[in-house]
Amino acid sequence: MSWDPVRDLLTMQERLESLFGRANPGWVPAVDLAELDDKYLITIELPGLSRSDITLEYAEPLLTVRGTRPPQECNPERYHQLERGQGQFARSFKFAVPVAAEAITAEFADGVLTVSVPKSAVDRRRIAVS
């Protein structure tokens, strides 16, 4: 497994917050956010979830993805390693330019959620200065 500094920092933050009683229950799925000429493309890794476990909501200016991964059914007396997150998660995204909320689409296949967020057509025109 390659070193992922972001994952390690998130894990450290979660552990420190739990020491001070501020831990958020749940987990943080990995996300890629790309900006193309005409849209934003969000890819979220959600292995083990089904479509019914995921909700998307757009309330300007935020797109929020929420979901729940049920606890593992295996209940051994003791885990030797437990890295897969479980419980609730939420990720929110704010975009630099206006988006066409009515045209947002989402596809879920092979444990990967892909959300396409089209940019709004901006009416640009030159104004003569007199």
Side-chain angles (χ1 to χ4, degrees), residues 62-119:
L62 292 176
L63 172 70
T64 302
V65 180
R66 288 186 174 87
T68 302
R69 178 183 283 151
Q72 298 177 17
E73 294 181 19
C74 165
N75 288 321
E77 290 183 23
R78 140 181 103 185
Y79 281 101
H80 288 271
Q81 190 164 339
L82 184 60
E83 295 182 359
R84 295 182 343 134
Q86 54 191 2
Q88 296 181 349
F89 73 89
R91 298 294 306 260
S92 294
F93 306 92
K94 185 175 182 179
F95 304 100
V97 298
V99 299
E102 67 283 351
I104 295 173
T105 60
E107 295 180 17
F108 187 65
D110 298 326
V112 177
L113 177 67
T114 303
V115 183
S116 177
V117 183
K119 295 178 181 178

Side-chain angles (χ1 to χ4, degrees), residues 17-94:
E17 287 177 348
S18 68
L19 286 174
F20 297 103
R22 294 188 305 238
N24 293 331
W27 57 291
V28 180
V31 172
D32 291 336
L33 173 58
E35 181 177 3
L36 306 174
D37 289 338
D38 61 340
K39 65 183 172 185
Y40 292 97
L41 196 59
I42 303 169
T43 307
I44 307 173
E45 294 180 359
L46 300 171
L49 273 68
S50 64
R51 284 176 178 81
S52 62
D53 296 325
I54 304 165
T55 59
L56 278 86
E57 177 180 291
Y58 183 76
E60 193 169 341
L62 292 176
L63 172 70
T64 302
V65 180
R66 288 186 174 87
T68 302
R69 178 183 283 151
Q72 298 177 17
E73 294 181 19
C74 165
N75 288 321
E77 290 183 23
R78 140 181 103 185
Y79 281 101
H80 288 271
Q81 190 164 339
L82 184 60
E83 295 182 359
R84 295 182 343 134
Q86 54 191 2
Q88 296 181 349
F89 73 89
R91 298 294 306 260
S92 294
F93 306 92
K94 185 175 182 179

